[in-house]
Amino acid sequence: MSLTGLFPIDKWNFKSQSILTNLPDDEYERLHAHMLEQHYQKGESIFREGAVASGIFFIKKGKVKKYKVDKEGKEQIIYVANTGELLGYHAVLAEERYTDSAAALEACAITFIPREDFLNVVEQSQVLPRRLLKALSHEFAVLSNSISVFAQRSVKERLAIILIVLREKFKAETVAGSEITINISRADLANMVGTGSENIVRFLKEFRMAGILHTQGRKIFITDVKRLIGLSGYSNALP
């Protein structure tokens, strides 16, 4: 089921997939000159907050969580990146260290592009700077929206929103006609919503009893996305 006209999913997703699409051949070749593909298992770290930004990462397959860790060591997941998205380019462009951490949510294939190669192409390209500016502007709008909405919404509403967003992310790699499977731990879900795992378990049970979803182990299947949207309260929180 499409969310068009029901939920503004673009306000919750970055658009970095198009940054490297259909670049001129010479730019593409320079980017790929020293590109290295690496494979990560679920939970494996890709980069950590404060580390030197040595390059950018392109997700060929899989999903990656971007997160920060507070003084008590608790994770706050700020975004889930999907196949085709870029990671780490903000820090490289700003000549700063990585401002957050990234780890695989599932088995991933990720290519690494060294900082020097990326910046050389950016400096000479007629296309890439405009795409990067557009992507950065949109990402700022997404994060601003997330902060403002989450500051006003209840835990139940935040969970509904996160489940809607995750449904779209897992839908992207679901075979047509198959049921969309949200495969995520309760701990990671709690870190996305900004609450304890016990609240996630309680509200998932409530949603299950209401017929909005069903579960199988850690897997979540949304059966009534319209009712989930109704519980999200987004119409009162978003313009």
Side-chain angles (χ1 to χ4, degrees), residues 10 22 29-30 34 38 54 93 103 105-107 125 139 156 179 191 195 201 205 219 223:
D10 283 350
N22 297 323
E29 289 173 3
R30 290 204 301 277
H34 303 105
Q38 298 171 301
S54 54
L93 290 172
L105 269 179
E106 59 188 22
S125 175
E139 290 182 21
K156 185 175 181 178
E179 191 171 17
N191 290 338
T195 189
V201 172
K205 181 179 180 180
K219 297 177 181 178
T223 52

Side-chain angles (χ1 to χ4, degrees), residues 4-22:
T4 304
L6 298 174
F7 186 85
I9 193 65
D10 283 350
K11 292 181 178 289
W12 299 92
N13 280 334
F14 294 167
K15 294 182 177 179
S16 63
Q17 292 96 330
S18 62
I19 291 176
L20 302 184
T21 302
N22 297 323

Side-chain angles (χ1 to χ4, degrees), residues 136-155:
L136 286 167
S137 298
H138 180 70
E139 290 182 21
F140 177 78
V142 168
L143 292 175
S144 296
N145 170 66
S146 298
I147 292 169
S148 62
V149 171
F150 272 45
Q152 302 171 39
R153 298 293 93 187
S154 68
V155 171

Side-chain angles (χ1 to χ4, degrees), residues 100-150:
D100 50 32
S101 301
L105 269 179
E106 59 188 22
C108 293
I110 297 176
T111 54
F112 174 77
I113 302 173
R115 173 183 178 277
E116 293 75 13
D117 292 354
F118 179 66
L119 291 178
N120 285 339
V121 174
V122 170
E123 289 172 0
Q124 300 175 37
S125 175
Q126 298 296 314
V127 176
L128 204 48
R130 290 195 299 272
R131 291 184 180 179
L132 288 168
L133 180 59
K134 185 176 181 180
L136 286 167
S137 298
H138 180 70
E139 290 182 21
F140 177 78
V142 168
L143 292 175
S144 296
N145 170 66
S146 298
I147 292 169
S148 62
V149 171
F150 272 45

Side-chain angles (χ1 to χ4, degrees), residues 1 167 210-213 221-230:
M1 177 181 176
R167 175 186 179 272
I212 293 171
L213 55 80
F221 306 86
I222 308 298
T223 52
D224 194 337
V225 71
K226 284 187 177 181
R227 289 180 64 192
L228 195 60
I229 291 171

